């Protein structure tokens, strides 16, 4: 094929093609928001603010309150982040700064491989391997050790089979870890060598260089990376559905059964026959959309502020 | 090919109908799949069945994007009339309570509907409860808390199980009721039959409910349940068939029969039929006729497949009733099919 000579017509075509692509994206997004609003409106209008404050989810009586799934979603996502962040940070620092680069490349591929495992596999592994192990070696000893009536006892009560909010958070943590670690590593590698070398030249130790020079340099972008991980944790469905215990009650114990927005939709949408049931599930989708939007918008804002990786 | 396009485009001008499409309940999907394979080998006609759930099946047949829908939860006669649909049963199955209590084997523990309801309401919380002891005077039950496991996903299995509990316990009927998904008062939810079986297997002292196929597959102990005539029966194909034979098919408008608690002394009390929905006046009569020919073929030759997969074929008297129903209700019924063989 001959190379086309640069021409005004070709450039116009190129520009309009790109414009069409972005317009198509926006149309999809707009259509999605529109149909979520349209489908969820009957439930939102009928239950009003009660939709967010009540945790009664009774498809037979047509009573729907989303407090349980919403709280479960936020709780598991933030717990997952809390568990994943230190490990991700350690991994990223090790790969970027401590480990010889020849090995680091292979280790980085291994970390990214974790991100490529389908979520259903995490779910099955969680249900058949992690949950029984967790019950036997963490939950039962903790339940036995807790003083009856104490704060700790309330936090760890639950069915001792490992299907609970804590295990779901643990699985989520494993799932978001590679994302955060990979982005953090890239960010750390983007720190100008001159800065690092200057710091070492001044006699800084390795931990001082990482903690005082490199991390502050990429701080805002790093927060953005964490928020992207949070966005993934918020929307994760299959793995959580298998392991969270699927109870619509408001979560009161870390080791109790709970539910998330996406697990509730995945569980009930297929067989939802009542109009209000379908509408309540779509409204849940809208709520998740709003939560994710806020997270991603915050991430973009922070990523943009220091210009991202330089 | 044409059938899959038909879904995408919402209509297909094909009149030959060498492939038809159905969607709905997941419970009978293995049998429909097995039948479709054998039918394709025998006739070259492809029947595509998509197990998307009963709710989806009802929505799709109403919208006219499939040739038949399938549901575990029968629609009421009024709804059928409103949507202009014909409803008939195609297969029988059973739902079985499974337990994991150390030292108690399959069929050793006896339960009643009332006690099951109290367990699932969270009123009976230990295996040593006098209500359970009274039913099982010979058993030494461990002093364990009962862990209740139910389905997390909306399911026809749950509909049948809760219908049974609502029938046997006034407290259940008023506080929970019957449905594909209900407001559970106790326990935790597993995803699918596999999820419920896994949780029961992993928890000492757990009770759950699964379809018969999964009860035998999971190697968990099942419970004997008291039926309407007072007998404690074991869940097996003969007991499901007894329930199916005892039901008043053809006498209830729209065949809206939930098979639980049938009076026959051999009947398993938590039996269930799974239903097919078809348009009374189909948009494409040729495709509808092909579907009915397939069902007729399945009635004649498909029983062995169903039994092999632990499902129960309909009694032949019921099959004849359904053939008559096709002739009287569905406009496109092919003549040889309409005549009872």
């Amino acid at each position: 094929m001959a190379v086309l000579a640069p021409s005004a017509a070709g450039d116009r075509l190129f520009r309009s093609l790109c414009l069409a692509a972005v317009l198509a994206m926006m149309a999809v997004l707009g259509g999605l928001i529109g149909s979520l609003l349209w489908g969820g409106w009957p439930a939102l209008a009928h239950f009003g603010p009660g939709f967010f404050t009540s945790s009664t989810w009774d498809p037979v009586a047509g009573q729907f309150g989303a407090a349980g799934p919403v709280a479960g979603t936020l709780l598991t996502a933030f717990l997952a982040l809390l568990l994943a962040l230190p490990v991700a940070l350690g991994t990223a620092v090790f790969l970027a700064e401590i480990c010889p680069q020849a090995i680091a490349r292979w280790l980085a591929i291994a970390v990214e491989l974790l991100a490529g495992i389908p979520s259903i596999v995490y779910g099955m592994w969680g249900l058949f391997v992690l949950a029984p192990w967790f019950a036997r070696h963490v939950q039962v000893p903790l339940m036995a050790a807790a003083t009856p009536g104490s704060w700790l006892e309330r936090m760890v009560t639950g069915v001792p089979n490992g299907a609970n909010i804590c295990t779901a958070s643990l699985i989520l943590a494993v799932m978001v870890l590679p994302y955060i670690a990979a982005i953090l590593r890239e960010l750390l590698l983007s720190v100008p060598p001159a800065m690092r070398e200057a710091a070492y030249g001044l006699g800084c130790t390795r931990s001082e260089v990482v903690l005082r020079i490199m991390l502050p340099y990429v701080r805002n972008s790093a927060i953005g990376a964490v928020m992207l991980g949070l966005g993934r944790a918020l929307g994760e469905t299959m793995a959580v559905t298998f392991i969270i215990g699927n109870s619509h009650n408001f979560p009161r114990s870390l080791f109790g059964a709970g539910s998330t927005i996406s697990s509730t939709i995945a569980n009930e949408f297929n067989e939802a026959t009542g109009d209000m049931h379908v509408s309540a599930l779509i409204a849940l989708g809208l709520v998740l959309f709003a939560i994710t939007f806020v997270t991603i918008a915050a991430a973009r804002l922070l990523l943009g502020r220091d210009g991202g990786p330089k | 090919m044409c059938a899959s396009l038909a879904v995408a485009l919402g209509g297909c001008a094909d009149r030959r109908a060498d492939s038809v499409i159905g969607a709905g309940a997941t419970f009978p999907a293995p049998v429909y799949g097995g039948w479709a394979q054998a039918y394709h080998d025998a006739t070259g006609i492809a029947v595509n069945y998509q197990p998307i759930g009963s709710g989806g099946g009802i929505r799709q047949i109403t919208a006219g994007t499939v040739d038949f829908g399938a549901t575990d939860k029968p629609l009421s006669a009024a709804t059928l009339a409103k949507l202009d649909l014909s409803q008939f049963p195609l297969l029988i199955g059973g739902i079985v309570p499974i337990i994991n209590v150390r030292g108690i084997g399959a069929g050793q523990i006896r339960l009643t509907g009332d006690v099951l309801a109290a367990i699932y309401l969270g009123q009976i919380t230990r295996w040593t409860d006098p209500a359970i002891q009274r039913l099982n005077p010979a058993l030494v039950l461990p002093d364990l808390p009962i862990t209740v496991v139910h389905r997390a996903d909306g399911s026809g299995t749950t509909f049948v199980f809760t219908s049974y509990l609502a029938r046997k316990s006034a407290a259940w009927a008023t506080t929970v009721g019957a449905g594909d998904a209900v407001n559970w008062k106790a326990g935790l939810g597993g995803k699918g039959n596999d999820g419920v079986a896994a949780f029961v297997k992993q928890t000492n002292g757990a009770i759950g409910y699964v379809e018969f196929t999964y009860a035998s597959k999971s190697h968990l102990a099942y419970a004997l349940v008291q039926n309407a005539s007072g007998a404690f029966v074991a869940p097996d194909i003969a007991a499901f068939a007894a329930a199916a034979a005892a039901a008043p098919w053809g006498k209830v408008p729209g065949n809206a029969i939930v098979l639980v608690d049938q009076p026959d002394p051999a009947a398993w009390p938590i039996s269930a039929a799974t239903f097919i929905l078809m348009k009374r006046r189909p948009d494409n009569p040729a495709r509808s006729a092909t579907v009915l020919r397939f069902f007729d073929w399945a009635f004649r030759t498909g029983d062995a497949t169903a039994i092999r997969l632990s499902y129960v074929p309909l009694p032949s008297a019921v099959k004849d009733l359904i053939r008559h129903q096709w002739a009287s209700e569905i406009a496109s019924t092919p003549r040889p099919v309409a005549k009872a063989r």
Side-chain angles (χ1 to χ4, degrees), chain B residues 240-265:
Chain B
F240 305 146
W249 301 111
K251 298 188 185 75
V252 177
N255 282 323
I257 295 171
V258 180
L259 264 188
V260 298
D261 212 28
Q262 292 299 321
D264 190 285

Side-chain angles (χ1 to χ4, degrees), chain A residues 86-294:
Chain A
V87 184
L89 199 59
T91 311
V93 169
F94 181 81
L95 290 180
E97 195 57 27
I98 298 170
C99 175
Q101 282 309 302
I103 304 171
R105 202 168 310 132
W106 291 103
L107 284 178
I109 291 175
V111 169
E112 275 159 27
L113 206 61
L114 266 183
I117 297 175
S119 102
I120 184 95
V121 175
Y122 279 110
M124 298 304 254
W125 178 76
L127 177 61
F128 291 112
V129 181
L130 179 66
W133 181 89
F134 187 86
R136 205 166 315 127
H137 298 287
V138 180
Q139 198 175 358
V140 172
L142 266 178
M143 282 169 81
T147 338
S150 68
W151 178 83
L152 179 69
E153 204 253 346
R154 273 206 308 276
M155 276 296 104
V156 300
T157 49
V159 178
N161 69 355
N164 54 47
I165 289 173
C166 194
T167 342
S169 307
L170 212 58
I171 285 267
L172 275 181
V174 177
M175 297 180 75
V176 300
L177 204 160
Y179 285 87
I180 304 180
I183 303 181
L184 282 181
R185 170 173 174 264
E186 295 294 324
L187 286 175
L188 290 177
L189 289 175
S190 76
V191 175
M195 274 184 84
R196 292 173 49 233
E197 281 152 18
Y200 280 122
L202 286 173
C204 292
T205 62
R206 190 166 261 167
S207 64
E208 280 170 340
V209 172
V210 169
L211 296 176
R212 303 274 177 80
I213 307 292
M214 296 175 72
L215 283 179
Y217 183 81
V218 298
R219 188 185 56 208
N220 284 343
S221 302
I223 296 174
V226 171
M227 295 295 243
L228 289 179
L230 183 64
R232 171 152 171 87
L234 284 169
E236 179 44 47
T237 309
M238 277 334 274
V240 173
T241 308
F242 272 93
I243 198 107
I244 198 166
N246 296 305
S247 151
H248 291 309
N249 295 333
F250 196 84
R252 298 195 188 284
S253 151
L254 274 185
F255 288 177
S259 64
T260 68
I261 292 177
S262 46
S263 75
T264 303
I265 297 174
N267 274 331
E268 298 188 6
F269 199 79
N270 276 354
E271 301 277 342
T273 37
D275 289 343
M276 199 48 91
H277 194 180
V278 174
S279 178
L281 289 170
I282 296 176
L284 268 185
L286 188 65
V287 173
L288 183 60
F289 191 89
I291 296 174
T292 315
F293 176 76
V294 169

Side-chain angles (χ1 to χ4, degrees), chain A residues 41-90:
Chain A
W41 186 249
L44 290 173
H46 185 261
F47 298 111
F51 188 69
F52 300 97
T53 53
S54 156
S55 63
T56 306
W57 187 272
D58 188 343
V60 178
Q63 281 299 318
F64 298 100
V70 171
T73 304
L74 295 174
L75 194 61
T76 48
F78 280 104
L79 265 179
L81 212 55
L82 212 64
L83 293 166
L85 195 53
V87 184
L89 199 59

